[in-house]
Amino acid sequence: MKIQGIEYEDLAERYGTPSYVYDGNVLAGTITELCEVLHPALEVFFSLKSNPNISVFRVLHQGGARAEVSSLVELRTALEAGAAPGDIIFLGPGKSEEELVACLEAGIYAVVVESFDELDRLEKLAEARNVRQRVLLRVNPAVAISGSRLTMGGKPRQFGIDEEQVLGAGDLPSRYQYADVAGIHVYMGTRILDPEVLGKNTRYVFELADRVVRHTGIRLDAVDIGGGMGVAYFEGESDLDLTEVAKELNPLIEEFAVGHPGTRLILESGRFLAARAGVYVLRVRYTKQSMGESFAVADGGTHHHMAAVGIGSFVKRNFPSVLLSKDSADRNAPDAAGRWTVTGPLCTPNDTLLKQVGLPALEAGDLLGVERSGAYGPSASPGLFLSHGYPAEVLVMDGVAHLVRSRDEPDDLLRKQHLFDQTRTDDLQGS
Ligand SMILES: *Cc1c(COP(=O)(O)O)cnc(C)c1O
């Protein structure tokens, strides 16, 4: 099996396994297509938390994506990849003072605040530096709109400020001089595969934005409609039809843009932009039978790909997978014996990447790929379990492979540990 003319086997030999391989041309194609079908007034911001690799973001940024970041490192990643401060927003429920100050110093477009307490803190920090910082209020919607796999509204949450509290907050511009409240942000859910749900969410956010303006007197420099566009992972799911998405969203965008000239309209997307471009590449170490079931024990697992393993979900469902070995074309018939269970090196029965999938008869040394793995992979997994650390990441762009993150080596991981020394006198002591 090849990617842009390069054998996966050659990538595995050069960069080792387990590793993540990203198809840069797929990344570029996805952002380009999304920007082309959506109303031009809607700007797409990439959620770096879905894939914080700097080169992955660089490709998306070159294709037109702005940046939505949630930590100091993500902020620096976005800036170093070339995003203009004016195209960056920072959100997250527990921002540190250091992070807030970094936002002020970089002069990013907006800080999305998630509580009034945080807004007060930002006001003080901005006043101390005599700068004005645009702020979007993240609103926790009063209702949930069904259709996403993780709904956000209608529940007590650490995210955002309850709709009721925002509407009851009174005259905000007179209370905050340095924190320049000028817009709202709403994130209604993730893994949405129904265009109608996206339309309903967007209608709700626009209607809410007008209500917030009427109640609080803020300017509306920006409305962030969230996003949460999904991709198909499992049997029975299908990818969003972008033509349908455009049909739902574009008339709403058009109407709102005409009524609110000068208001920036923001769509956030992580999974949709990144997931399909990534393959988790792992090598089978051993095969064995246990009580009639065929196991392939591989070098990768939960520690790099918790989503595929399905930790936290009730039923084990399999991500799409494929045999990547050079001779895979000759071995495409699924094993007559049927089904393979692919597990990793961790000492827990949960470390099962694929449960009874139809793959050709496997043997030690075979190369496997878990597809659609470009979002919420290693950075969203317990990478330090059994001290394996981060895998290598490789970006293939225009037929050339680039190492875009080195794997953690044992020395990298050991360096952070300190053997305690009882002869030291400068350590903190209790009385
Ligand atoms: C996680 C997150 C996103 C990205 O969600 P996807 O489903 O990956 O597109 C966007 N906005 C907020 C506020 C988030 O928390």
Side-chain angles (χ1 to χ4, degrees):
M1 282 280 287
K2 291 182 183 179
I3 173 170
Q4 296 181 32
I6 304 174
E7 282 285 355
Y8 276 97
E9 194 60 70
D10 294 338
L11 291 174
E13 226 142 86
R14 169 77 75 98
Y15 304 109
T17 57
S19 57
Y20 272 83
V21 175
Y22 303 115
D23 190 323
N25 295 13
V26 170
L27 285 171
T30 307
I31 182 66
T32 304
E33 189 190 1
L34 185 62
C35 291
E36 271 171 14
V37 306
L38 291 176
H39 193 290
L42 190 58
E43 299 176 56
V44 178
F45 280 56
F46 179 58
S47 307
L48 271 82
K49 83 162 190 264
S50 69
N51 188 321
N53 186 284
I54 191 167
S55 292
V56 166
F57 176 64
R58 165 68 69 90
V59 173
L60 291 169
H61 177 58
Q62 284 172 343
R66 287 73 157 120
E68 179 244 296
V69 300
S70 298
S71 71
L72 199 55
V73 173
E74 287 185 7
L75 173 61
R76 284 179 49 183
T77 303
L79 289 167
E80 281 176 33
D87 285 331
I88 299 176
I89 61 174
F90 195 122
L91 62 83
K95 300 175 200 75
S96 67
E97 191 164 308
E98 192 186 9
E99 286 168 337
L100 291 170
V101 168
C103 291
L104 299 174
E105 285 175 352
I108 67 166
Y109 179 69
V111 175
V112 180
V113 305
E114 312 238 5
S115 65
F116 283 120
D117 209 9
E118 186 191 5
L119 183 57
D120 293 340
R121 170 78 66 88
L122 186 64
E123 170 80 3
K124 288 204 185 79
L125 293 172
E127 181 176 12
R129 284 158 186 79
N130 196 27
V131 291
R132 273 192 117 202
Q133 172 62 58
R134 187 182 292 97
V135 167
L136 308 183
L137 294 179
R138 180 167 180 178
V139 184
N140 179 29
V143 302
I145 294 187
S146 62
S148 76
R149 311 297 144 122
L150 173 73
T151 48
M152 287 293 198
K155 278 199 183 131
R157 288 285 190 203
Q158 72 268 53
F159 308 110
I161 306 168
D162 288 358
E163 184 175 320
E164 204 183 278
Q165 292 176 28
V166 171
L167 295 174
D171 181 5
L172 288 173
S174 70
R175 282 223 300 287
Y176 297 95
Q177 270 82 58
Y178 297 89
D180 181 22
V181 183
I184 68 161
H185 167 285
V186 185
Y187 180 69
M188 307 277 271
T190 185
R191 292 203 57 218
I192 301 169
L193 290 172
D194 179 353
E196 259 182 59
V197 173
L198 292 170
K200 272 191 216 161
N201 285 353
T202 303
R203 200 170 295 125
Y204 188 90
V205 178
F206 283 159
E207 187 265 338
L208 177 60
D210 282 335
R211 270 193 296 147
V212 172
V213 168
R214 281 199 302 275
H215 282 75
T216 64
I218 62 166
R219 287 194 325 280
L220 214 50
D221 287 357
V223 176
D224 186 330
I225 63 171
M229 295 169 63
V231 300
Y233 289 122
F234 308 121
E235 247 168 55
E237 293 182 346
S238 45
D239 278 331
L240 273 168
D241 178 344
L242 278 188
T243 318
E244 293 299 316
V245 172
K247 244 189 243 168
E248 285 288 335
L249 292 189
N250 288 358
L252 299 171
I253 304 295
E254 172 66 19
E255 192 190 328
F256 195 83
V258 167
H260 305 74
T263 299
R264 267 179 106 168
L265 302 178
I266 295 172
L267 173 95
E268 296 169 352
S269 177
R271 194 185 311 274
F272 181 84
L273 291 176
R276 286 167 296 178
V279 181
Y280 183 40
V281 178
L282 54 153
R283 202 180 281 289
V284 176
R285 284 189 174 144
Y286 309 101
T287 62
K288 61 187 255 185
Q289 301 284 317
S290 173
M291 302 202 177
E293 195 165 322
S294 302
F295 283 80
V297 184
D299 57 5
T302 315
H303 55 307
H304 298 156
H305 204 335
M306 192 165 84
V309 169
I311 303 284
S313 52
F314 286 111
V315 266
K316 167 71 187 162
R317 294 188 293 176
N318 292 312
F319 268 50
S321 59
V322 61
L323 177 66
L324 298 173
S325 302
K326 263 187 186 157
D327 59 351
S328 60
D330 311 326
R331 295 169 50 192
N332 260 345
D335 185 4
R339 320 221 120 222
W340 284 91
T341 292
V342 178
T343 60
L346 305 185
C347 304
T348 157
N350 289 334
D351 193 23
T352 301
L353 270 167
L354 303 164
K355 180 84 180 159
Q356 299 181 329
V357 290
L359 281 168
L362 297 175
E363 48 192 68
D366 275 343
L367 202 62
L368 292 175
V370 180
E371 300 174 301
R372 299 191 160 228
S373 298
Y376 303 105
S379 70
S381 303
L384 294 178
F385 197 32
L386 272 73
S387 299
H388 286 296
Y390 222 87
E393 294 183 305
V394 176
L395 176 78
V396 185
M397 194 81 207
D398 301 327
V400 182
H402 309 269
L403 179 67
V404 292
R405 181 173 177 130
S406 316
R407 76 178 57 255
D408 282 348
E409 298 295 347
D411 283 346
D412 298 325
L413 299 167
L414 279 166
R415 196 167 34 229
K416 296 268 169 159
Q417 297 204 56
H418 310 290
L419 199 57
F420 82 104
D421 176 358
Q422 275 175 308
T423 64
R424 277 180 62 152
T425 53
D426 57 340
D427 284 334
L428 183 64
Q429 292 180 31
S431 51

